[in-house]
Amino acid sequence: MAAKYVGKRIKRTEDPRLIKGLAHYVDDVRLPDTLHVAFVRSIYAHARITSIDVTEALKAPGVVAVYTGKDIATTVGPVPCAAALPDLKIPDYRVLATGKALFVGHPIAAVVATDRYLARDAADLISVDYEELPVAVDVEASAKGGPVIHEQFGSNIAYTLTSGEGDIEAALKSADHIVTQRMVHQRLAPVAMEGRGVLARYFPGEEELTLWSSTQIPHLMRTQVALMIGLPENKLRVITPEVGGGFGSKLNVYAEEALLAWISIQLGKPVKWIESRRENMQATIHGRAQVGTVEVGCKNDGTITGLRYNVVADLGAYHQLLTPAIPTLTGLMLSGAYRIPAIQMNVTGVFTNKMSTDAYRGAGRPEATYVVERAMDIVAAELKIDPVEVRRKNFPAKTEFPFHTATGLDYDSGDYEAALDKALNLSGYAKLRAEQAKARAAGKLIGIGMSSYVEICALGPSQAMPAGGWESATVRIEPTGTVTVLTGASPHGQGQETSFAQIAADELGVDLNAVTVIHGDTAIVQYGIGTFGSRATAVGGTAVLIAIQKLKEKAAKIAAHVLRCEASSLAFEGGRYSRPSAAAASAVSEPDVAVGEAPAGALPEPDTEGRSTLTIQEIALIAHIAKELPPDTEPGLSATYFFEPKNFTFPFGTHICVVEIDKETGETKFLRYVAVDDCGKVINPLLVDGQIHGGIVQAIGQALYEEVVYDEQGQLVTGELMDYALPKASQMPWFELDRTETPSPVNPLGVKGVGEAGTIGATPAVVNAIVDALSPYGVKHLDMPARPEAVWKLITG
Amino acid sequence: MKQAISINVNEVDHRDEVEPRLLLVHYLRDLLGLTGTHVGCETSICGACTILVDGQAVKSCTMFAVQADGANITTIEGLATNGNLHPMQEGFWEKHGLQCGYCTPGMIIAATQLIDRNPNPSRDEIRHGLEGNLCRCTGYQHIVEAVEYAAKKKADL
Ligand code: FES
Ligand code: FES
């Protein structure tokens, strides 16, 4: 395809509505007679609900209905878990608590009223009697014993799993050194700036339900909610309007979504619930929350012989959609960017009286990268060699790809050394080390940290996914020549309306503005999987590309028929099919179908007499009018393709950052941040930069500021944004970005994915820099977040 | 007891009877249908609800509608003039200063005040000036560039 758009910094076509304030997020969708739902949520982490008195609430102004666990126990199915693991314990997770409340924020009752203020007022009139129960909060303690959350399982252990290849015992035995480090991956909150929100509207006559939800997975949600409420799937339409960020938190099916759908059926009216930030902190999934110990064996020259990671994963009280599967992704990525002959992960998934953990940007891979990249630095410190050299020593060479890891993966393509070298050059690494030595001599605490990451993207082959790993696209050229792309990948800020239009416009040779990308409506778009796991472009974009190629096969057949030549002899250039002899002279001689300018009320007649070239848009018109089609050709011009990748993709890169620590306050300040990322072929560098920036900032958030804190009673201490510290503009460095470009062989676009790279690569770079800065004090490790007080304590001993 | 208020929003006069507890952001969104102003935290932290009240950037989640009685308000919907984007809106588009777009209206409004007060801000000043506005998507760098673009564009006008 002629690349007029692909690879260019094209500004986004979705932006005008967003910058004018005219876009529609769920709460901006207004329907007449909408009722509003407010929840009563558990104030205890673990308690028996002995009684719920709703009489006052029912009498309150504007109240239409109140529902509690007994109303839904036999009518609404449980919140689904799609993860399949051997001997996994799956508790029955009802959409309202029945009998016991298992975490702060657990929904207990739903109040429906005519106005959101009145719903809230009435919710406050519901009195719940609790009998407090002992709590399981600390994940390590809960793994060993203490109060059991789900009595039927006898313990809090949801599953144990061992993964990896190679003889780990022998590998560690053969090492000259073994380094061991305990690491805590604190619990994080995804905090999409728009919380969750649901609007459900039942049409009693049609017996159909439309559900607007702020989600990353409209089709999977349709299937699951239909099953939960017992509605035929083809009577349920899920629409995701504008989605204000997801980061994995909306890659889920939540209690509220099914409950609102069910309530709308009960009442025959639209019902809406918009999550407050407090509810978002309590009852939207959290991420990370692993505590583990890594052991790494190495030779004197830095060669890694084996890696073992024993880890307990804090799952929370229930499984959301993928909760137990997230730590298994950690196990998959423990080889990092290195050749490690033997790897073993032993994971124990543990129930605690907290909100569920699940996929948060990176989803298990940041933990793995952090373990491996911290371990590399610890090895370097142990052997007193430069961290760069330890990494270089263990990289597979670019000729070794596809590269098989002891975690059972086959990395598609890579040139890790090239990315490392580029980052070293861009940062001026040697000079940085010299400056650091000088600064140290002057008593300053300067640290240089790096991370050479690999991540697993483009999820993925269906074999490795709970519910299909493909993505779908339909491409149509309408009678007037405009192009419609329907994608099953439902974006929430990634810019697919632009990047997919770039792919389509280039492949069809039409103007970018002629293409509209439609997503997020299950009544319009064929089944799709969704946007997560940095899969949208690699899988969904490829589906668009191949659908167009299919469409063009048909267009060429029609063109050949009309132009009276062989399809194989046609040239396609600039959106135009030409007979061989005409190819050169064609471009100016014949009119285009003007996109969007068809005269009102009259479709132009295709003028095919004596033509030697036809635009693909004219062919669309011919295909729709259908008077001049070759025999056995269906009218219309559209094609659908479901693309199933044969493997994952594996983006990689090296990040280097320089920090200065204030000795007096323990505060960390960035002096430099250099990132060289390789996400394969790039469709739109502007959007890729944006993904990298945003990803790094979320990683810095984990490294320095963010932590979901539950106290020993299981009370959520970080219940609002006043207590949960998100990175601010003034705290962030200026990012110096560059790229290497190693195409992926897994898809014809050669793209790998970039949505999570920053979050995966950056956290260890930052912590490595801080540890490096503190190394004069003998510091070998510190746990995140590296808050000033923690750092200051290390300095002052 | 409802209270009568009269507020000018984006150069249109509105008279309404509202409950004293009605938040200004809900007045704008629910009564006037101006849903471009968003709610991200309800606690005056995130800035998604930022609007201009008599020319001052204000977080409309922490102000009651009755407190705005008699005020002139500009929301994101009122920023463009005669169909032309405000230089700040243009900057955000040109520099990819938004991803999901949820923080964007508040961010743009706050940034317009920033360059009104300081027509030629340094990158540091931009970052500090936007401390009251959180963005979870962009990592802020493109937002800083958007503000620089707008400041320059405004100076050139
Ligand atoms: S909603 Fe007003 S500051 Fe966050
Ligand atoms: S663009 Fe999504 S929060 Fe700023």
Side-chain angles (χ1 to χ4, degrees), chain A residues 329 332 365 409 456-471 529-536 538-540 642-650 746-747 752:
Chain A
L329 276 171
L332 277 183
R365 295 108 92 201
L409 295 171
I456 179 169
C457 275
L459 312 181
S462 294
Q463 291 306 331
M465 302 275 289
W470 43 268
E471 196 49 87
I529 304 297
T531 292
F532 55 89
S534 305
R535 69 192 302 278
V539 191
F642 285 53
F643 175 65
E644 159 87 26
K646 294 279 171 289
N647 189 5
F648 304 99
T649 61
F650 296 88
V746 175
N747 60 69
K752 292 195 167 205

Side-chain angles (χ1 to χ4, degrees), chain B residues 38-49 59-62:
Chain B
H38 298 151
V39 180
C41 72
E42 310 109 17
T43 52
S44 216
I45 302 286
C46 76
C49 62
K59 291 178 174 174
S60 61
C61 73
T62 22

Side-chain angles (χ1 to χ4, degrees), chain A residues 11-12 19 25 27-28 30 117 121 189-191 277 360 686 690 693-694 706 727 729-730 732 734-735, chain B residues 21 23 26 29-30 35-36 38 40 42 89 93-94 96 99-102 123 127 131 136-138 140-141:
Chain A
K11 63 182 186 176
R12 300 199 311 175
I19 56 179
Y25 301 83
D27 197 19
D28 307 337
R30 302 291 153 119
Y117 284 53
D121 288 345
V191 194
R277 184 56 64 189
Y360 166 53
L686 189 62
H693 291 161
E706 296 178 36
S730 57
M732 292 302 107
W734 190 263
F735 302 113
Chain B
R21 67 170 175 172
L23 292 175
H26 289 149
R29 291 179 50 82
D30 296 344
T35 56
H38 298 151
E42 310 109 17
Q89 291 171 308
W93 192 9
E94 289 295 329
H96 188 30
Q99 290 178 25
C100 78
Y102 198 75
R123 285 181 172 172
R127 286 177 183 273
E131 238 168 10
R136 193 59 155 164
C137 298
T138 62
Y140 302 108
Q141 189 150 316

Side-chain angles (χ1 to χ4, degrees), chain B residues 1-7 14-20 65-66 69-70:
Chain B
M1 255 300 276
K2 288 199 173 180
Q3 238 169 280
I5 54 169
S6 81
I7 302 184
H14 295 272
R15 283 168 190 288
D16 281 293
E17 304 253 307
V18 299
E19 276 194 54
V66 292
D69 187 19

